[in-house]
Amino acid sequence: MAATGRTSDQDDTRLTAGYAAYQRGDAVAALEIFERVAEGSAPRLRSAALINAASMADELGEHRRAVGLYRTALAEIPSDASHQRPTALVNLSQAYQHLGEFDAAQDALEQARALLADSSDQGLLRVACLLSLTAVALHRQQWARAGELAVEALGLTERFAPELAGHPLMNLAACSFETGRWELGIDFARQAVAAFVSAGEEAALAESRQNLATMLVRAGRFDEAEKPLLASQQFFEAGELGYRSGIGAKTMGFLAERRGDPATARAHYARALDRFDSTGAVVDAADVRLRLATLAYAEGDLDFGEELLDTSFSVYAEHGLGMHCAQLDYWRAELLHATFERAAQPDAALLSRAVALVVPAALAIDAVRHTLPNGGQREHWHRTVAEPAMSLAFRCAALSGDAQLVGDLIDTQCAGTALDLAFLPESAAPALAFELLDPTSPEPTAAQALQLGAALADVAAAAGIPVAPPPRLTDGGRILLSDFISYAEQRYGRPVRDDRLIAL
């Protein structure tokens, strides 16, 4: 919880009692204390207590209730306590994030950041605002922006709040892990755990242990994951923190699933789904339904699996999570492909549906690497995230017997990556291409610049040179994969190819 303002010593004692209850993991008692303090108190104390009560409601998974309390506090903050406003806005964004309302969360944070821009005595809150902005970027899978914000937040914590260093470290862990740099992500997560142990922040420590356990499970390091997972789950369940205990149950389900125990996995997932549905955490609930769909497919219940995936896709789409939608389509195609391969008499309709899903999804997933800031990150994304999706697209296209689609996929993948010379100084762009390509040539051509991108994109990007999205390729007037590209950009709400046209 962020500090909520200046009050009298007696008032501070009443607020501190609630904070102490929260620190020992009793959010229920903390909520009751803050609500009692808010009743009949002077305006400044009332608004402070309301903000803290809302924070506890959010911790307990009562996200809609939290939003209402924050809005009430914002409406009642007196003029002599205007310093409370950015606090309420930052905390309000957290509740919106839990509800999957990322536009509203972003708006609240931008308001708070503007209020804090000229503040010299609210460094701690500036840190919290940056951490929340990072969280929104992570939810939206804007990895480059999230990484930049996390680095900026780490610098601010070193300056204003060294005891909070674990938060930006965990955000750096998420950025690294989700872009395929698993070892780096796990290392950052361990640093975050150590930072919270040192700071004595029990609630943050439990959360960081849970995040570390999730990464270890996803990396297949099950034995290492068990200890931090169980420790964090014990803390969250003891404190009746519904949302966080739901996350733990989901992770325990995934651990059981990866260990080949579907019955136990299903029980954990059901518990997680109940927690998320009851607290309004719709995006997390959609994630759990995706895992339940995977179990349903494995047992041959395709209709139930499809129903679950349709529900999850609708949630992701409604909340503007285009990359979640693309990854879900890829995973659905993977499940259909597995079903097709197991069948004694393969169903051609299933294969056709898999092709229609996986090609646009793979193109969208592959396009993400062009938004990453350097070649190292791009290579990791390609190898660990995009390549499996594109490989499935090739397999499904080949099984379908569509030779033109296979050829178009090959040509598209072989086209390489172009430098975004528009972002280089005018005098530097041609000279750079000239020096790297052919020192004896009088001047570089456009074709040479594209060749440079294809041959040296990762090297250039690692040096900090911007890389452009891939162009659209043409062959005799036909744009390769045109229908799939258009469908992907419409379905996922994000660019997949640049507007440039390059002839083969």
Side-chain angles (χ1 to χ4, degrees), residues 142-162:
Q142 298 170 338
W143 308 123
R145 172 172 169 76
E148 292 168 0
L149 289 167
V151 170
E152 185 180 352
L154 185 59
L156 274 182
T157 58
E158 291 173 350
R159 179 181 173 190
F160 293 111

Side-chain angles (χ1 to χ4, degrees), residues 102-295:
F102 302 118
D103 287 342
Q106 182 82 28
D107 180 64
L109 289 169
E110 294 298 347
Q111 290 183 53
R113 197 175 195 184
L115 291 171
L116 293 167
D118 299 323
S119 174
S120 59
D121 63 347
Q122 289 186 286
L124 186 63
L125 191 54
R126 287 171 62 189
V127 169
C129 185
L130 270 179
L131 292 173
S132 287
L133 281 167
T134 310
V136 172
L138 288 170
H139 278 300
R140 288 176 161 163
Q141 299 186 329
Q142 298 170 338
W143 308 123
R145 172 172 169 76
E148 292 168 0
L149 289 167
V151 170
E152 185 180 352
L154 185 59
L156 274 182
T157 58
E158 291 173 350
R159 179 181 173 190
F160 293 111
E163 72 278 6
L164 297 182
H167 293 293
L169 285 169
M170 186 54 74
N171 286 337
L172 285 169
C175 293
S176 300
F177 194 89
E178 295 299 343
T179 52
R181 297 168 295 165
W182 288 4
E183 289 303 321
L184 181 61
I186 289 169
D187 182 63
F188 273 130
R190 292 192 189 280
Q191 290 184 53
V193 169
F196 287 127
V197 168
S198 177
E201 292 282 346
E202 291 298 323
L205 174 60
E207 186 174 330
S208 63
R209 281 174 170 160
Q210 185 181 81
N211 292 337
L212 170 61
T214 300
M215 292 178 191
L216 290 168
V217 169
R218 289 176 58 188
R221 293 158 63 169
F222 306 142
D223 292 341
E224 292 179 63
E226 205 149 23
K227 184 177 179 180
L229 179 58
L230 293 176
S232 63
Q233 192 69 356
Q234 182 178 6
F235 179 89
F236 294 129
E237 290 185 351
E240 298 182 33
L241 303 177
Y243 173 73
R244 275 290 163 182
S245 63
I247 295 240
K250 179 180 73 172
T251 307
M252 293 170 75
F254 190 65
L255 177 58
E257 185 182 342
R258 293 291 298 273
R259 283 176 163 169
D261 186 354
T264 300
R266 188 178 294 102
H268 286 308
Y269 288 147
R271 185 161 62 255
L273 188 60
D274 178 68
R275 300 283 171 86
F276 293 144
D277 281 343
S278 65
T279 60
V282 292
V283 174
D284 292 280
D287 294 341
V288 174
R289 287 188 171 91
L290 188 151
R291 299 314 315 167
L292 286 168
T294 300
L295 294 177

Side-chain angles (χ1 to χ4, degrees), residues 261-263 266 292-302 304 339 342:
D261 186 354
R266 188 178 294 102
L292 286 168
T294 300
L295 294 177
Y297 268 91
E299 295 170 348
D301 192 348
L302 271 62
F304 184 49
T339 301
R342 286 196 303 266

Side-chain angles (χ1 to χ4, degrees), residues 313-488:
F313 187 96
S314 296
V315 170
Y316 294 151
E318 288 168 6
H319 292 82
L321 300 175
M323 187 45 50
H324 283 67
C325 292
Q327 289 172 319
L328 184 148
D329 277 349
Y330 154 62
W331 188 243
R332 191 197 299 248
E334 188 78 77
L335 295 172
L336 289 171
H337 179 263
T339 301
F340 179 84
E341 288 196 321
R342 286 196 303 266
Q345 293 184 327
D347 186 342
L350 288 182
L351 182 58
S352 178
R353 178 159 168 71
V355 170
L357 286 166
V358 73
V359 174
L363 291 171
I365 293 169
D366 181 64
V368 170
R369 62 191 172 106
H370 301 277
T371 69
L372 299 175
N374 64 62
Q377 291 183 17
R378 190 157 32 255
E379 188 277 331
H380 279 291
W381 179 270
H382 172 71
R383 176 168 47 84
T384 62
V385 183
E387 191 171 47
M390 193 58 70
S391 176
L392 181 64
F394 272 103
R395 293 200 309 273
C396 289
L399 283 171
S400 71
D402 191 334
Q404 180 173 293
L405 176 56
V406 173
D408 287 354
L409 288 170
I410 292 172
D411 287 337
T412 300
Q413 287 300 99
C414 290
T417 305
L419 294 183
D420 192 353
L421 299 180
F423 286 89
L424 294 172
E426 288 185 10
S427 59
L432 176 66
F434 170 73
E435 178 182 353
L436 291 177
L437 281 172
D438 185 0
T440 65
S441 174
E443 62 181 20
T445 65
Q448 286 176 319
L450 182 61
Q451 181 185 350
L452 167 64
L456 298 174
D458 282 346
V459 174
I465 301 172
V467 175
R472 298 169 196 258
L473 303 181
T474 63
D475 182 14
R478 180 179 66 89
I479 299 176
L480 275 61
L481 302 175
S482 176
D483 290 344
F484 289 110
I485 291 169
S486 298
Y487 180 74

